[in-house]
Amino acid sequence: SGTLYSKEVVFKAAYWLTKRCQVVIDWNEPLAAFEVSILPRQDPFNEADLAQLVERFNADLVDFTTRQLIAQETKDIRAILLAKAFANE
């Protein structure tokens, strides 16, 4: 869903799979959702390989979403800490 995961999160999760497979991301306007296809680079996937890649992709979506939330929630604190670290006192 385009409302559940940001574009940045989807692309980050896809990036980490690109060594193992090709990831194609499309935007489905009527559904307002990303469509993600995981394709083999050379040899076809068996069911277990594909299931493992989908599981990894889903875990990365949660991971990068959590990181994005934490970054948003702590941006003011990080800015204060950086300002104090470089202040000439």
Side-chain angles (χ1 to χ4, degrees), residues 4-6 8-10 12-14 54-70:
L4 185 58
Y5 299 113
S6 70
E8 293 80 11
V9 165
V10 172
K12 284 180 182 180
V54 169
E55 184 178 324
R56 177 79 256 160
F57 184 75
N58 287 330
D60 285 347
L61 287 173
V62 172
D63 179 37
F64 289 120
T65 298
T66 303
R67 291 172 187 269
Q68 188 177 56
L69 289 169
I70 291 169

Side-chain angles (χ1 to χ4, degrees), residues 10-11 14-15 17-18 21-27 34-41 57:
V10 172
F11 276 79
Y15 171 77
L17 290 182
T18 58
C21 60
Q22 179 182 1
V23 181
V24 178
I25 303 168
D26 290 312
W27 177 251
F34 293 103
E35 292 180 345
V36 179
S37 301
I38 299 174
L39 307 169
R41 284 212 172 273
F57 184 75

